[in-house]
Amino acid sequence: MARLAGVSQATVSLVLSPKPDGKGRIISEETRQRVLEAARSLGYVPDPAARRLAAARNNLLGVFSFTATFPTDVQHSYYPFLVGVEREAAALGYDLVLFTGSSTGGAGATGPDALSRVRLADGCLFIGRHTPRAELKRLVEDGFPVVHLGRREELEGVAWVGADYVEATREVVGHLAELGHRRIVLVREDDDAPASTDRQRGFLEGLVATGLPSGPTAVFRSADPQRELSPERLRAWVDEGVTAFVAEETDTGAAWRSLLSAVREAGLDCPGEVSLALLGSPPADLASEPEPTGFDIPRPQLGAAAVRLLAALVAGEEAREPLVSCVFRPGPTTAPPRARP
Amino acid sequence: MARLAGVSQATVSLVLSPKPDGKGRIISEETRQRVLEAARSLGYVPDPAARRLAAARNNLLGVFSFTATFPTDVQHSYYPFLVGVEREAAALGYDLVLFTGSSTGGAGATGPDALSRVRLADGCLFIGRHTPRAELKRLVEDGFPVVHLGRREELEGVAWVGADYVEATREVVGHLAELGHRRIVLVREDDDAPASTDRQRGFLEGLVATGLPSGPTAVFRSADPQRELSPERLRAWVDEGVTAFVAEETDTGAAWRSLLSAVREAGLDCPGEVSLALLGSPPADLASEPEPTGFDIPRPQLGAAAVRLLAALVAGEEAREPLVSCVFRPGPTTAPPRARP
DNA sequence: TTGTAAGCGTTATCAT
DNA sequence: ATGATAACGCTTACAA
């Protein structure tokens, strides 16, 4: 105890825990220094558990992912988010605790108390798709600050931050319209994840906003794009006057991939005969090719925004973090449509 | 409290916290069920903070890197280590607290006592090159469990885990000798990091072990391999009877890079005229080419071993984790030497 | 301005 | 087999 070293007692607490009230310092500068000095020489650090137990705060923010946070397959990792999470947490004065256990089941992956350990922190960030709803809800109901990284509107009351796919997609459509394209087709998979429906909404809104006919624009759906998006179908669209295609980004990149191969097989030149855009980033194995027109998801910023929101909740604020904007990425796959005979 | 719901008291603790001792259950099955039922209906979960406070153990392992744990440049990241660290920590029931050299600013400024923040964990893992020796030593002297990832013998008393470069290099030399090579040259930079000298030692030991003459074998050193490792020099070696070259792996991959370019410029065919081996993994930008003969550093295993050692220290054991073995990687860059006229 | 004392929710040690 | 009760290390009124 620094108490013995110095001369005081739980005065230590007062000097070591700056009240957020700002002017809460009712400690004489002298004792303050004495305590600080003693703490330093003893290498004393307040126990986070005790601190939290005493109904105070730890300065610890949790990160919990439902799969391993560091999967062996680097492609699928949350790394880009973590970059922002770490930076923002540091900037805000929080340390990060990475709750393990979901990864291997070692320390209790399942069970009703799988999530209970996160209560050690002041609040917790959740990343990943397979969220145990009940547990999360329980946490929220208990007033524990929780933020989900990625849109999660079905989980009532769970705060989240996400990327603004609607606006970003609108922007891509706007770009095409500006180039002179009048008929555009959206290629998407048959899936109703928010990430997917958001893009479709943005696509339609984009058409409306630029005064393009939304009627004739086809929305392509398929669980098996390989088979459905045939070169013939593509060619038919082009013959009907379609000059641009936009594909959504998915885990597998299937939509984009099948679009590319259909274009190739149909012998169409890009961007000569058709313009192509990708609503997101290309899959890793296509990363070496020049990046197509589209937008980038600012993952580090998303991570940072999530931390900011979480910190606000921890501080008892009612803060609401808006959607994070994606950034438009110009590319060589779009150009003005060729004049038609 | 489940206490009220059920009928008992801190008996709850007994049923909710299975002792690792195995047969610690001295609770009647009836009460046991009653408590379990009450807990479930109330949605009761033990408070981790209180739990850890009482147990005088936080189940927290620190991870301290002297740069950001998640650098923006993924190339230099500790990701491969982290994979193992996370997995092992989870398996052992520990959560991870992430500290960063730059970021400790939040709760404690980047002063000389920045490192003392790690004391909030039960022990701490250090990763990276720029270790503040004094601070680290202080922690160790205070009996705080510390493990350094990567060999650090100069830091007296600091536990560490590292890769067995000596053995791995010996193995590569053995492989070449087995193929029939008699004169082998080691290409290394002029640097005396353990990672570098270990390989040299392994190289020499390998020669001795296989009965090869170590005298005529040249050890190439250069701070500027570009200039020193000329195609002419290479050609001269080959004319003298050298049939194989092994290069060390470094941050920049300079040794391997200059070896490759010298071979190319000298117009030598690999593995026809010379066999090449790399003592480690190729730099990221050369990753697409077929992997050369050499060995892989099992980074995840290293991370796991470090955690294991740290956990042992935390538990008060005197454990000693041996060097982690690298795994030999056969490749297309080595072949039996061509018969000489 | 600083010391005193009452918890915070568990675990652990005794008694029962 | 279970119920009291004292820590655990800290925060926080409240008293001095």
Side-chain angles (χ1 to χ4, degrees):
Chain A
M1 305 259 221
R3 333 199 151 173
L4 302 184
V7 263
S8 28
Q9 303 201 263
T11 305
V12 172
S13 177
L14 278 298
V15 15
L16 258 40
S17 313
K19 292 278 84 179
D21 300 44
K23 53 173 298 187
R25 49 174 305 270
I26 39 175
I27 301 291
S28 77
E29 193 55 27
E30 187 200 325
T31 25
R32 192 181 129 74
Q33 289 306 336
R34 191 145 26 98
V35 171
L36 252 26
E37 172 53 35
R40 186 169 324 123
S41 74
L42 262 52
Y44 166 86
V45 173
D47 182 316
R51 227 175 179 174
R52 180 135 179 86
L53 181 56
R57 44 191 334 224
N58 275 41
N59 264 65
L60 252 35
L61 253 29
V63 174
F64 191 104
S65 59
F66 304 97
T67 58
T69 306
F70 305 120
T72 315
D73 176 6
V74 188
Q75 285 323 326
H76 290 175
S77 86
Y78 303 118
Y79 196 95
F81 294 111
L82 260 13
V83 170
V85 168
E86 177 185 39
R87 190 174 2 191
E88 191 66 20
L92 264 32
Y94 285 95
D95 282 318
L96 247 28
V97 19
L98 189 65
F99 290 102
T100 63
S102 54
S103 35
T104 61
T110 50
D113 54 331
L115 286 198
S116 82
R117 34 200 337 212
V118 308
R119 293 170 193 261
L120 176 65
D122 290 344
C124 192
L125 198 62
F126 291 84
I127 312 184
R129 306 197 159 276
H130 316 298
T131 321
R133 311 177 44 138
E135 292 305 319
L136 242 193
K137 201 170 173 194
R138 184 77 214 306
L139 245 27
V140 173
E141 280 168 358
D142 288 358
F144 184 81
V146 159
V147 169
H148 194 281
L149 188 28
R151 208 171 118 191
R152 234 69 196 1
E153 284 182 332
E154 348 91 56
L155 299 183
E156 192 100 24
V158 176
W160 52 267
V161 302
D164 192 348
Y165 297 126
V166 176
E167 167 59 23
T169 301
R170 223 157 29 195
E171 205 171 341
V172 169
V173 171
H175 165 76
L176 290 169
E178 208 161 286
L179 286 177
H181 295 275
R182 288 289 160 267
R183 301 197 51 183
I184 309 171
V185 168
L186 169 66
V187 178
R188 56 166 294 200
E189 294 178 53
D190 194 9
D191 153 338
D192 59 349
S196 204
T197 57
D198 277 3
R199 282 177 241 241
Q200 174 164 354
R201 207 177 111 215
F203 177 70
L204 297 175
E205 289 185 14
L207 293 181
V208 170
T210 53
L212 294 188
S214 69
T217 301
V219 168
F220 175 79
R221 278 198 176 87
S222 171
D224 180 4
Q226 287 290 11
R227 216 179 59 200
E228 303 270 1
L229 190 59
S230 64
E232 294 72 33
R233 186 85 181 81
L234 204 71
R235 172 59 79 182
W237 268 321
V238 171
D239 289 343
E240 288 169 21
V242 172
T243 56
F245 294 83
V246 300
E248 71 165 342
E249 178 206 272
T250 62
D251 292 354
T252 60
W256 177 244
R257 231 182 275 274
S258 61
L259 175 59
L260 284 184
S261 73
V263 167
R264 195 181 333 105
E265 288 176 36
L268 290 166
D269 175 56
C270 165
E273 293 169 289
V274 290
S275 282
L276 305 178
L278 172 60
L279 304 175
S281 306
D285 55 309
L286 266 43
S288 53
E289 308 187 21
E291 294 211 305
T293 300
F295 59 78
D296 290 309
I297 302 168
R299 292 179 224 263
Q301 281 86 330
L302 267 172
V307 168
R308 237 164 8 235
L309 175 53
L310 184 54
L313 292 181
V314 166
E317 299 166 24
E318 201 49 67
R320 181 172 284 288
E321 189 83 17
L323 288 171
V324 173
S325 300
C326 297
V327 355
F328 179 73
R329 164 178 20 91
T333 58
T334 51
R338 166 183 299 178
R340 287 176 56 82
Chain B
M1 303 264 218
R3 334 199 151 174
L4 303 184
V7 264
S8 26
Q9 309 204 273
T11 305
V12 173
S13 175
L14 278 297
V15 16
L16 258 39
S17 317
K19 293 276 86 178
D21 300 42
K23 53 171 300 187
R25 49 175 303 272
I26 40 175
I27 301 291
S28 77
E29 192 55 27
E30 187 200 324
T31 19
R32 194 180 127 75
Q33 288 306 335
R34 190 144 28 97
V35 171
L36 252 27
E37 171 53 34
R40 187 171 325 118
S41 70
L42 263 54
Y44 166 88
V45 280
D47 180 325
R51 186 180 268 227
R52 292 173 188 204
L53 177 55
R57 217 161 149 259
N58 279 324
N59 269 281
L60 251 32
L61 255 29
V63 175
F64 191 105
S65 56
F66 303 95
T67 60
T69 310
F70 308 119
T72 315
D73 178 6
V74 188
Q75 284 324 327
H76 290 177
S77 84
Y78 303 117
Y79 195 96
F81 294 111
L82 260 15
V83 170
V85 168
E86 180 190 28
R87 191 173 6 196
E88 193 65 19
L92 264 33
Y94 284 96
D95 289 318
L96 262 19
V97 192
L98 271 20
F99 301 101
T100 59
S102 47
S103 77
T104 33
T110 316
D113 53 329
L115 269 200
S116 80
R117 278 198 60 65
V118 308
R119 291 176 193 258
L120 98 209
D122 294 334
C124 192
L125 194 64
F126 291 82
I127 311 183
R129 307 197 159 276
H130 317 298
T131 323
R133 310 178 44 140
E135 297 301 325
L136 242 192
K137 201 171 173 194
R138 179 61 170 13
L139 287 174
V140 174
E141 279 169 357
D142 288 359
F144 185 81
V146 159
V147 169
H148 194 279
L149 187 28
R151 208 171 119 192
R152 233 74 200 348
E153 283 183 332
E154 348 92 56
L155 300 183
E156 192 101 23
V158 176
W160 54 267
V161 303
D164 191 350
Y165 297 128
V166 177
E167 168 58 25
T169 301
R170 223 159 26 197
E171 205 170 342
V172 169
V173 171
H175 165 76
L176 290 169
E178 208 162 288
L179 286 177
H181 295 275
R182 288 288 159 269
R183 300 199 50 184
I184 309 172
V185 167
L186 168 66
V187 178
R188 56 165 295 199
E189 295 178 53
D190 193 9
D191 152 339
D192 60 348
S196 204
T197 56
D198 277 4
R199 282 177 241 242
Q200 173 161 357
R201 207 177 110 215
F203 177 71
L204 296 175
E205 290 186 16
L207 293 180
V208 170
T210 53
L212 294 188
S214 69
T217 300
V219 169
F220 174 79
R221 281 198 174 86
S222 170
D224 180 5
Q226 287 290 13
R227 215 179 60 198
E228 304 271 358
L229 190 58
S230 64
E232 294 71 32
R233 186 87 182 81
L234 203 72
R235 171 60 76 183
W237 268 320
V238 170
D239 289 341
E240 286 169 23
V242 172
T243 56
F245 295 83
V246 301
E248 72 166 341
E249 179 206 271
T250 62
D251 291 353
T252 59
W256 177 244
R257 233 181 273 276
S258 61
L259 176 57
L260 283 185
S261 73
V263 166
R264 196 180 332 106
E265 288 176 35
L268 289 165
D269 175 57
C270 165
E273 294 169 289
V274 289
S275 281
L276 304 177
L278 172 61
L279 304 176
S281 306
D285 55 309
L286 265 45
S288 55
E289 307 186 20
E291 293 209 306
T293 300
F295 59 78
D296 290 309
I297 301 168
R299 293 180 223 262
Q301 282 87 327
L302 266 171
V307 168
R308 230 157 20 230
L309 176 53
L310 184 55
L313 292 181
V314 167
E317 299 166 23
E318 201 51 66
R320 182 170 283 286
E321 189 83 18
L323 288 172
V324 174
S325 299
C326 297
V327 354
F328 179 74
R329 165 179 17 92
T333 58
T334 50
R338 165 184 301 179
R340 288 175 57 83

